[in-house]
mmCIF file of all heavy atoms in Angstrom:
data_model
loop_
_atom_site.group_PDB
_atom_site.id
_atom_site.type_symbol
_atom_site.label_atom_id
_atom_site.label_comp_id
_atom_site.label_asym_id
_atom_site.label_seq_id
_atom_site.Cartn_x
_atom_site.Cartn_y
_atom_site.Cartn_z
ATOM 1 N N ALA A 1 87.013 1.513 237.559
ATOM 2 C CA ALA A 1 86.829 0.604 238.772
ATOM 3 C C ALA A 1 87.243 1.302 240.002
ATOM 4 O O ALA A 1 87.947 2.320 239.987
ATOM 5 C CB ALA A 1 87.599 -0.631 238.471
ATOM 6 N N PRO A 2 86.606 0.812 241.263
ATOM 7 C CA PRO A 2 86.959 1.542 242.358
ATOM 8 C C PRO A 2 88.533 1.567 242.581
ATOM 9 O O PRO A 2 89.226 0.600 242.464
ATOM 10 C CB PRO A 2 86.296 0.632 243.468
ATOM 11 C CG PRO A 2 85.116 -0.028 242.780
ATOM 12 C CD PRO A 2 85.659 -0.226 241.293
ATOM 13 N N GLY A 3 88.963 2.826 242.932
ATOM 14 C CA GLY A 3 90.357 3.077 243.331
ATOM 15 C C GLY A 3 91.232 3.122 242.186
ATOM 16 O O GLY A 3 92.486 3.264 242.304
ATOM 17 N N LYS A 4 90.713 3.100 240.892
ATOM 18 C CA LYS A 4 91.468 3.235 239.721
ATOM 19 C C LYS A 4 91.086 4.482 238.859
ATOM 20 O O LYS A 4 89.997 4.992 239.096
ATOM 21 C CB LYS A 4 91.388 1.851 238.849
ATOM 22 C CG LYS A 4 91.710 0.648 239.503
ATOM 23 C CD LYS A 4 91.655 -0.503 238.548
ATOM 24 C CE LYS A 4 92.240 -1.874 239.192
ATOM 25 N NZ LYS A 4 92.015 -2.996 238.327
ATOM 26 N N GLU A 5 92.011 4.716 238.087
ATOM 27 C CA GLU A 5 91.731 5.959 237.223
ATOM 28 C C GLU A 5 90.874 5.600 236.105
ATOM 29 O O GLU A 5 90.782 4.392 235.669
ATOM 30 C CB GLU A 5 93.039 6.571 236.627
ATOM 31 C CG GLU A 5 93.915 7.220 237.656
ATOM 32 C CD GLU A 5 95.164 7.853 237.129
ATOM 33 O OE1 GLU A 5 95.408 7.662 235.848
ATOM 34 O OE2 GLU A 5 96.007 8.465 237.817
ATOM 35 N N ARG A 6 89.990 6.574 235.622
ATOM 36 C CA ARG A 6 89.246 6.339 234.410
ATOM 37 C C ARG A 6 90.042 5.976 233.254
ATOM 38 O O ARG A 6 91.072 6.752 233.024
ATOM 39 C CB ARG A 6 88.283 7.508 234.150
ATOM 40 C CG ARG A 6 87.247 7.342 233.143
ATOM 41 C CD ARG A 6 86.244 8.455 233.152
ATOM 42 N NE ARG A 6 85.542 8.523 234.351
ATOM 43 C CZ ARG A 6 84.489 9.234 234.618
ATOM 44 N NH1 ARG A 6 84.126 10.297 233.798
ATOM 45 N NH2 ARG A 6 83.911 9.324 235.801
ATOM 46 N N GLU A 7 89.748 4.999 232.510
ATOM 47 C CA GLU A 7 90.482 4.669 231.274
ATOM 48 C C GLU A 7 89.593 4.598 229.970
ATOM 49 O O GLU A 7 88.370 4.114 230.152
ATOM 50 C CB GLU A 7 91.206 3.360 231.530
ATOM 51 C CG GLU A 7 90.244 2.118 231.713
ATOM 52 C CD GLU A 7 91.008 0.942 231.711
ATOM 53 O OE1 GLU A 7 92.082 0.760 231.294
ATOM 54 O OE2 GLU A 7 90.456 -0.023 232.316
ATOM 55 N N GLY A 8 90.167 4.878 229.027
ATOM 56 C CA GLY A 8 89.389 4.892 227.683
ATOM 57 C C GLY A 8 89.368 3.493 227.238
ATOM 58 O O GLY A 8 90.335 2.610 227.389
ATOM 59 N N VAL A 9 88.263 2.983 226.725
ATOM 60 C CA VAL A 9 88.040 1.614 226.413
ATOM 61 C C VAL A 9 87.876 1.529 224.850
ATOM 62 O O VAL A 9 88.488 0.687 224.208
ATOM 63 C CB VAL A 9 86.624 1.038 227.048
ATOM 64 C CG1 VAL A 9 86.375 -0.262 226.507
ATOM 65 C CG2 VAL A 9 86.886 1.033 228.538
ATOM 66 N N ALA A 10 86.969 2.401 224.249
ATOM 67 C CA ALA A 10 86.632 2.420 222.872
ATOM 68 C C ALA A 10 86.376 3.765 222.311
ATOM 69 O O ALA A 10 85.767 4.604 223.129
ATOM 70 C CB ALA A 10 85.676 1.349 222.443
ATOM 71 N N TYR A 11 86.679 3.974 221.169
ATOM 72 C CA TYR A 11 86.381 5.283 220.499
ATOM 73 C C TYR A 11 85.840 5.010 219.172
ATOM 74 O O TYR A 11 86.184 4.124 218.477
ATOM 75 C CB TYR A 11 87.663 6.153 220.391
ATOM 76 C CG TYR A 11 88.528 6.271 221.594
ATOM 77 C CD1 TYR A 11 89.478 5.325 222.019
ATOM 78 C CD2 TYR A 11 88.277 7.273 222.513
ATOM 79 C CE1 TYR A 11 90.172 5.360 223.157
ATOM 80 C CE2 TYR A 11 88.953 7.378 223.764
ATOM 81 C CZ TYR A 11 89.930 6.414 224.069
ATOM 82 O OH TYR A 11 90.647 6.611 225.206
ATOM 83 N N ILE A 12 85.076 5.897 218.654
ATOM 84 C CA ILE A 12 84.290 5.800 217.381
ATOM 85 C C ILE A 12 84.217 7.217 216.669
ATOM 86 O O ILE A 12 83.899 8.163 217.309
ATOM 87 C CB ILE A 12 82.993 5.042 217.471
ATOM 88 C CG1 ILE A 12 82.374 4.689 215.990
ATOM 89 C CG2 ILE A 12 81.946 5.846 218.218
ATOM 90 C CD1 ILE A 12 81.345 3.721 216.127
ATOM 91 N N SER A 13 84.509 7.121 215.291
ATOM 92 C CA SER A 13 84.461 8.362 214.715
ATOM 93 C C SER A 13 83.049 8.926 214.513
ATOM 94 O O SER A 13 82.033 8.096 214.702
ATOM 95 C CB SER A 13 85.042 8.258 213.260
ATOM 96 O OG SER A 13 84.384 7.241 212.495
ATOM 97 N N ARG A 14 83.027 10.071 213.985
ATOM 98 C CA ARG A 14 81.593 10.664 213.748
ATOM 99 C C ARG A 14 80.694 10.006 212.836
ATOM 100 O O ARG A 14 79.536 9.759 213.095
ATOM 101 C CB ARG A 14 81.826 12.097 213.024
ATOM 102 C CG ARG A 14 82.514 13.076 214.104
ATOM 103 C CD ARG A 14 82.723 14.436 213.418
ATOM 104 N NE ARG A 14 83.544 14.370 212.281
ATOM 105 C CZ ARG A 14 83.845 15.342 211.626
ATOM 106 N NH1 ARG A 14 83.551 16.644 211.872
ATOM 107 N NH2 ARG A 14 84.515 15.342 210.524
ATOM 108 N N GLY A 15 81.195 9.380 211.917
ATOM 109 C CA GLY A 15 80.316 8.536 210.926
ATOM 110 C C GLY A 15 80.314 7.110 211.340
ATOM 111 O O GLY A 15 79.624 6.230 210.620
ATOM 112 N N GLY A 16 81.168 6.744 212.359
ATOM 113 C CA GLY A 16 81.102 5.187 212.611
ATOM 114 C C GLY A 16 82.019 4.346 211.874
ATOM 115 O O GLY A 16 82.118 3.221 212.114
ATOM 116 N N THR A 17 82.920 5.087 210.896
ATOM 117 C CA THR A 17 83.684 4.170 210.029
ATOM 118 C C THR A 17 85.129 3.819 210.642
ATOM 119 O O THR A 17 85.700 2.986 210.218
ATOM 120 C CB THR A 17 83.904 4.823 208.750
ATOM 121 O OG1 THR A 17 84.508 6.140 208.949
ATOM 122 C CG2 THR A 17 82.503 5.113 208.027
ATOM 123 N N ARG A 18 85.443 4.544 211.679
ATOM 124 C CA ARG A 18 86.684 4.144 212.307
ATOM 125 C C ARG A 18 86.522 3.988 213.959
ATOM 126 O O ARG A 18 85.629 4.618 214.478
ATOM 127 C CB ARG A 18 87.774 5.356 212.260
ATOM 128 C CG ARG A 18 88.223 5.581 210.725
ATOM 129 C CD ARG A 18 89.294 6.780 210.832
ATOM 130 N NE ARG A 18 90.439 6.396 211.689
ATOM 131 C CZ ARG A 18 91.245 7.320 212.072
ATOM 132 N NH1 ARG A 18 91.127 8.604 211.748
ATOM 133 N NH2 ARG A 18 92.342 6.863 212.909
ATOM 134 N N THR A 19 87.119 2.992 214.433
ATOM 135 C CA THR A 19 87.069 2.664 215.802
ATOM 136 C C THR A 19 88.560 2.419 216.285
ATOM 137 O O THR A 19 89.387 1.993 215.580
ATOM 138 C CB THR A 19 86.280 1.496 216.061
ATOM 139 O OG1 THR A 19 86.618 0.416 215.246
ATOM 140 C CG2 THR A 19 84.777 1.760 215.898
ATOM 141 N N LEU A 20 88.761 2.633 217.540
ATOM 142 C CA LEU A 20 89.938 2.483 218.251
ATOM 143 C C LEU A 20 89.686 1.807 219.572
ATOM 144 O O LEU A 20 88.587 2.056 220.166
ATOM 145 C CB LEU A 20 90.769 3.744 218.476
ATOM 146 C CG LEU A 20 91.138 4.413 217.213
ATOM 147 C CD1 LEU A 20 91.789 5.900 217.602
ATOM 148 C CD2 LEU A 20 92.377 3.726 216.466
ATOM 149 N N TYR A 21 90.440 0.971 219.992
ATOM 150 C CA TYR A 21 90.274 0.204 221.286
ATOM 151 C C TYR A 21 91.412 0.158 222.130
ATOM 152 O O TYR A 21 92.682 -0.065 221.614
ATOM 153 C CB TYR A 21 89.748 -1.259 220.988
ATOM 154 C CG TYR A 21 88.643 -1.291 220.186
ATOM 155 C CD1 TYR A 21 88.622 -1.536 218.754
ATOM 156 C CD2 TYR A 21 87.284 -1.198 220.754
ATOM 157 C CE1 TYR A 21 87.481 -1.499 217.973
ATOM 158 C CE2 TYR A 21 86.170 -1.261 219.956
ATOM 159 C CZ TYR A 21 86.150 -1.439 218.559
ATOM 160 O OH TYR A 21 85.081 -1.391 217.789
ATOM 161 N N ALA A 22 91.308 0.056 223.371
ATOM 162 C CA ALA A 22 92.202 -0.294 224.308
ATOM 163 C C ALA A 22 92.855 -1.687 224.055
ATOM 164 O O ALA A 22 92.066 -2.537 223.717
ATOM 165 C CB ALA A 22 91.820 -0.051 225.766
ATOM 166 N N SER A 23 94.066 -1.891 224.226
ATOM 167 C CA SER A 23 94.627 -3.195 224.034
ATOM 168 C C SER A 23 93.990 -4.320 224.876
ATOM 169 O O SER A 23 93.830 -5.469 224.412
ATOM 170 C CB SER A 23 96.157 -3.280 224.175
ATOM 171 O OG SER A 23 96.425 -2.868 225.435
ATOM 172 N N SER A 24 93.558 -3.932 226.156
ATOM 173 C CA SER A 24 93.041 -4.807 226.914
ATOM 174 C C SER A 24 91.510 -5.576 226.467
ATOM 175 O O SER A 24 91.154 -6.513 227.003
ATOM 176 C CB SER A 24 92.811 -4.361 228.305
ATOM 177 O OG SER A 24 91.988 -3.206 228.321
ATOM 178 N N VAL A 25 90.934 -4.721 225.563
ATOM 179 C CA VAL A 25 89.503 -5.178 225.145
ATOM 180 C C VAL A 25 89.476 -5.443 223.623
ATOM 181 O O VAL A 25 88.492 -5.966 223.224
ATOM 182 C CB VAL A 25 88.538 -4.145 225.514
ATOM 183 C CG1 VAL A 25 88.651 -3.818 226.916
ATOM 184 C CG2 VAL A 25 88.661 -2.849 224.728
ATOM 185 N N LYS A 26 90.586 -5.140 222.892
ATOM 186 C CA LYS A 26 90.585 -5.272 221.444
ATOM 187 C C LYS A 26 90.239 -6.750 221.066
ATOM 188 O O LYS A 26 90.898 -7.740 221.703
ATOM 189 C CB LYS A 26 91.967 -4.816 220.857
ATOM 190 C CG LYS A 26 92.000 -4.704 219.457
ATOM 191 C CD LYS A 26 93.252 -4.187 218.831
ATOM 192 C CE LYS A 26 93.204 -3.929 217.342
ATOM 193 N NZ LYS A 26 94.398 -3.408 216.895
ATOM 194 N N GLY A 27 89.418 -6.838 220.233
ATOM 195 C CA GLY A 27 88.972 -8.306 219.801
ATOM 196 C C GLY A 27 87.806 -8.845 220.681
ATOM 197 O O GLY A 27 87.262 -9.906 220.185
ATOM 198 N N ARG A 28 87.484 -8.224 221.775
ATOM 199 C CA ARG A 28 86.354 -8.656 222.566
ATOM 200 C C ARG A 28 85.320 -7.641 222.503
ATOM 201 O O ARG A 28 84.074 -7.979 222.660
ATOM 202 C CB ARG A 28 86.825 -8.860 224.032
ATOM 203 C CG ARG A 28 87.879 -9.848 224.045
ATOM 204 C CD ARG A 28 88.203 -10.337 225.600
ATOM 205 N NE ARG A 28 88.667 -9.165 226.270
ATOM 206 C CZ ARG A 28 88.159 -8.563 227.311
ATOM 207 N NH1 ARG A 28 86.948 -9.041 227.811
ATOM 208 N NH2 ARG A 28 88.727 -7.494 228.019
ATOM 209 N N PHE A 29 85.604 -6.432 222.393
ATOM 210 C CA PHE A 29 84.622 -5.357 222.529
ATOM 211 C C PHE A 29 84.480 -4.639 221.191
ATOM 212 O O PHE A 29 85.489 -4.466 220.453
ATOM 213 C CB PHE A 29 85.044 -4.094 223.499
ATOM 214 C CG PHE A 29 84.901 -4.627 224.964
ATOM 215 C CD1 PHE A 29 84.790 -5.835 225.308
ATOM 216 C CD2 PHE A 29 85.016 -3.490 225.859
ATOM 217 C CE1 PHE A 29 84.715 -6.140 226.690
ATOM 218 C CE2 PHE A 29 84.854 -3.899 227.194
ATOM 219 C CZ PHE A 29 84.898 -5.226 227.662
ATOM 220 N N THR A 30 83.251 -4.297 220.705
ATOM 221 C CA THR A 30 82.990 -3.550 219.619
ATOM 222 C C THR A 30 82.108 -2.308 219.705
ATOM 223 O O THR A 30 81.006 -2.402 220.308
ATOM 224 C CB THR A 30 82.301 -4.497 218.575
ATOM 225 O OG1 THR A 30 83.047 -5.682 218.353
ATOM 226 C CG2 THR A 30 82.160 -3.821 217.208
ATOM 227 N N ALA A 31 82.682 -1.218 219.365
ATOM 228 C CA ALA A 31 81.868 0.129 219.409
ATOM 229 C C ALA A 31 81.059 0.428 218.162
ATOM 230 O O ALA A 31 81.559 -0.104 217.002
ATOM 231 C CB ALA A 31 82.702 1.267 219.794
ATOM 232 N N ALA A 32 79.893 0.723 218.212
ATOM 233 C CA ALA A 32 79.113 1.008 217.013
ATOM 234 C C ALA A 32 78.206 2.175 217.421
ATOM 235 O O ALA A 32 77.955 2.608 218.444
ATOM 236 C CB ALA A 32 78.284 -0.226 216.544
ATOM 237 N N ARG A 33 77.637 2.777 216.345
ATOM 238 C CA ARG A 33 76.708 3.844 216.525
ATOM 239 C C ARG A 33 75.603 3.887 215.492
ATOM 240 O O ARG A 33 75.833 3.468 214.286
ATOM 241 C CB ARG A 33 77.366 5.226 216.479
ATOM 242 C CG ARG A 33 78.000 5.660 215.245
ATOM 243 C CD ARG A 33 78.969 6.847 215.485
ATOM 244 N NE ARG A 33 78.286 8.048 215.801
ATOM 245 C CZ ARG A 33 78.896 9.066 216.388
ATOM 246 N NH1 ARG A 33 80.121 9.143 216.650
ATOM 247 N NH2 ARG A 33 78.116 10.063 216.682
ATOM 248 N N ASP A 34 74.382 4.282 215.745
ATOM 249 C CA ASP A 34 73.281 4.380 214.913
ATOM 250 C C ASP A 34 72.977 5.854 214.942
ATOM 251 O O ASP A 34 72.362 6.376 215.892
ATOM 252 C CB ASP A 34 72.052 3.463 215.298
ATOM 253 C CG ASP A 34 71.067 3.514 214.365
ATOM 254 O OD1 ASP A 34 70.902 4.415 213.496
ATOM 255 O OD2 ASP A 34 70.226 2.567 214.356
ATOM 256 N N ASN A 35 73.420 6.552 213.958
ATOM 257 C CA ASN A 35 73.194 8.104 213.971
ATOM 258 C C ASN A 35 71.732 8.492 213.690
ATOM 259 O O ASN A 35 71.378 9.481 214.311
ATOM 260 C CB ASN A 35 74.166 8.654 212.955
ATOM 261 C CG ASN A 35 75.604 8.837 213.366
ATOM 262 O OD1 ASN A 35 75.913 8.597 214.479
ATOM 263 N ND2 ASN A 35 76.413 9.038 212.395
ATOM 264 N N ALA A 36 70.955 7.487 213.082
ATOM 265 C CA ALA A 36 69.594 7.842 212.964
ATOM 266 C C ALA A 36 68.872 7.663 214.324
ATOM 267 O O ALA A 36 67.817 8.364 214.395
ATOM 268 C CB ALA A 36 69.059 6.846 211.829
ATOM 269 N N LYS A 37 69.376 7.013 215.100
ATOM 270 C CA LYS A 37 68.653 6.835 216.534
ATOM 271 C C LYS A 37 69.459 7.529 217.591
ATOM 272 O O LYS A 37 68.982 7.489 218.702
ATOM 273 C CB LYS A 37 68.655 5.392 216.837
ATOM 274 C CG LYS A 37 67.726 4.532 215.872
ATOM 275 C CD LYS A 37 67.714 3.173 216.412
ATOM 276 C CE LYS A 37 66.922 2.133 215.530
ATOM 277 N NZ LYS A 37 66.833 0.880 215.932
ATOM 278 N N ASN A 38 70.510 8.297 217.242
ATOM 279 C CA ASN A 38 71.243 9.074 218.271
ATOM 280 C C ASN A 38 71.706 8.115 219.391
ATOM 281 O O ASN A 38 71.603 8.468 220.603
ATOM 282 C CB ASN A 38 70.454 10.255 218.814
ATOM 283 C CG ASN A 38 70.379 11.390 217.854
ATOM 284 O OD1 ASN A 38 70.742 11.346 216.632
ATOM 285 N ND2 ASN A 38 69.924 12.610 218.387
ATOM 286 N N THR A 39 72.181 7.075 218.976
ATOM 287 C CA THR A 39 72.492 6.008 220.042
ATOM 288 C C THR A 39 73.921 5.372 219.696
ATOM 289 O O THR A 39 74.231 5.070 218.598
ATOM 290 C CB THR A 39 71.555 4.924 220.103
ATOM 291 O OG1 THR A 39 70.233 5.430 220.296
ATOM 292 C CG2 THR A 39 71.768 3.937 221.180
ATOM 293 N N LEU A 40 74.723 5.230 220.771
ATOM 294 C CA LEU A 40 75.984 4.642 220.783
ATOM 295 C C LEU A 40 75.937 3.376 221.384
ATOM 296 O O LEU A 40 75.249 3.080 222.455
ATOM 297 C CB LEU A 40 77.199 5.636 221.495
ATOM 298 C CG LEU A 40 78.466 5.118 221.702
ATOM 299 C CD1 LEU A 40 79.151 5.167 220.274
ATOM 300 C CD2 LEU A 40 79.110 5.958 222.771
ATOM 301 N N TYR A 41 76.638 2.362 220.912
ATOM 302 C CA TYR A 41 76.716 0.941 221.540
ATOM 303 C C TYR A 41 78.069 0.541 221.826
ATOM 304 O O TYR A 41 79.114 0.894 221.295
ATOM 305 C CB TYR A 41 76.033 0.042 220.551
ATOM 306 C CG TYR A 41 74.600 0.411 220.230
ATOM 307 C CD1 TYR A 41 74.445 1.041 218.871
ATOM 308 C CD2 TYR A 41 73.578 0.080 220.861
ATOM 309 C CE1 TYR A 41 73.190 1.270 218.487
ATOM 310 C CE2 TYR A 41 72.322 0.431 220.462
ATOM 311 C CZ TYR A 41 72.128 1.115 219.301
ATOM 312 O OH TYR A 41 70.740 1.264 218.910
ATOM 313 N N LEU A 42 78.157 -0.334 222.825
ATOM 314 C CA LEU A 42 79.308 -1.048 223.137
ATOM 315 C C LEU A 42 79.054 -2.533 223.360
ATOM 316 O O LEU A 42 78.458 -2.857 224.372
ATOM 317 C CB LEU A 42 80.102 -0.489 224.412
ATOM 318 C CG LEU A 42 81.400 -1.202 224.736
ATOM 319 C CD1 LEU A 42 82.492 -0.921 223.519
ATOM 320 C CD2 LEU A 42 82.023 -0.818 225.952
ATOM 321 N N GLN A 43 79.324 -3.385 222.469
ATOM 322 C CA GLN A 43 79.031 -4.831 222.584
ATOM 323 C C GLN A 43 80.366 -5.426 223.342
ATOM 324 O O GLN A 43 81.452 -5.275 222.807
ATOM 325 C CB GLN A 43 78.945 -5.488 221.200
ATOM 326 C CG GLN A 43 78.720 -6.941 221.213
ATOM 327 C CD GLN A 43 77.468 -7.388 221.845
ATOM 328 O OE1 GLN A 43 76.376 -6.816 221.560
ATOM 329 N NE2 GLN A 43 77.473 -8.348 222.736
ATOM 330 N N MET A 44 80.043 -6.055 224.385
ATOM 331 C CA MET A 44 81.206 -6.617 225.112
ATOM 332 C C MET A 44 81.026 -8.118 225.234
ATOM 333 O O MET A 44 80.061 -8.579 225.697
ATOM 334 C CB MET A 44 81.238 -5.990 226.553
ATOM 335 C CG MET A 44 81.266 -4.556 226.599
ATOM 336 S SD MET A 44 81.367 -3.805 228.257
ATOM 337 C CE MET A 44 79.885 -4.446 228.894
ATOM 338 N N ASN A 45 81.983 -8.805 224.613
ATOM 339 C CA ASN A 45 81.915 -10.250 224.681
ATOM 340 C C ASN A 45 83.234 -10.881 225.396
ATOM 341 O O ASN A 45 84.098 -9.996 225.645
ATOM 342 C CB ASN A 45 82.046 -10.806 223.144
ATOM 343 C CG ASN A 45 80.862 -10.422 222.356
ATOM 344 O OD1 ASN A 45 79.812 -10.243 222.855
ATOM 345 N ND2 ASN A 45 81.127 -10.154 221.086
ATOM 346 N N SER A 46 83.065 -11.986 225.821
ATOM 347 C CA SER A 46 84.120 -12.719 226.572
ATOM 348 C C SER A 46 84.588 -11.832 227.768
ATOM 349 O O SER A 46 85.779 -11.611 227.921
ATOM 350 C CB SER A 46 85.306 -12.942 225.490
ATOM 351 O OG SER A 46 84.941 -13.881 224.483
#
């Protein structure tokens, strides 16, 4: 955000089987990946 440092939000393992989230978004955001499509996703709710 403007005037703030860059912060990590979500992380996902190579195979997509492990994820980690910042406490501020845990339970609301979900990271996923489709390796067949070379695409990473972040679903953001609430």
Side-chain angles (χ1 to χ4, degrees):
K4 297 182 179 180
E5 294 184 352
R6 187 169 298 185
E7 62 175 339
V9 175
Y11 309 88
I12 189 165
S13 63
R14 294 179 298 187
T17 58
R18 291 184 63 195
T19 53
L20 297 167
Y21 300 94
S23 61
S24 59
V25 307
K26 190 173 183 179
R28 299 187 297 118
F29 290 13
T30 304
R33 63 194 296 163
D34 187 338
N35 286 347
K37 296 181 178 180
N38 284 12
T39 302
L40 175 72
Y41 302 98
L42 184 67
Q43 178 67 46
M44 305 186 296
N45 297 327
S46 301

